[in-house]
Amino acid sequence: MRFLILILIIGGIVWYFFLRKSPKKPKNNHEAELMLECCECGTYVSSKEAISYNDKYFCSKKCLLKNKKG
Ligand SMILES: [Zn+2]
């Protein structure tokens, strides 16, 4: 019976580490799918490529500079 308890403890440790690792992946995928509208030209860009400035999002540095000037 000691052997059975040992398997349960090892299984629990493996399950614990597997559960800790798994929530990271869906979060990254969700961020990649998020699309943001450029405040200057209205082009939709992914949150990874978008440039955020003063709670506004821009598709490129060009649009950011345009918005700052205008
Ligand atoms: Zn733009």
Side-chain angles (χ1 to χ4, degrees):
M1 282 306 261
R2 274 186 187 175
F3 185 68
L4 197 80
I5 292 161
L6 197 76
I7 286 169
L8 279 169
I9 290 164
I10 291 165
I13 291 163
V14 171
W15 180 74
Y16 176 74
F17 278 103
F18 183 76
L19 205 81
R20 269 183 76 183
K21 273 187 177 180
S22 58
K24 273 190 175 180
K25 274 190 177 178
K27 218 183 175 184
N28 285 340
N29 284 343
H30 188 74
E31 275 177 28
E33 280 172 21
L34 195 73
M35 297 299 279
L36 300 160
E37 192 180 359
C38 175
C39 274
E40 187 61 31
C41 68
T43 306
Y44 280 90
V45 281
S46 69
S47 54
K48 273 187 180 177
E49 289 173 67
I51 301 158
S52 62
Y53 181 79
N54 281 356
D55 292 327
K56 288 173 181 176
Y57 293 98
F58 302 94
C59 66
S60 62
K61 279 185 181 178
K62 249 187 179 180
C63 282
L64 173 66
L65 290 168
K66 254 190 184 181
N67 194 269
K68 269 187 178 179
K69 281 180 185 176

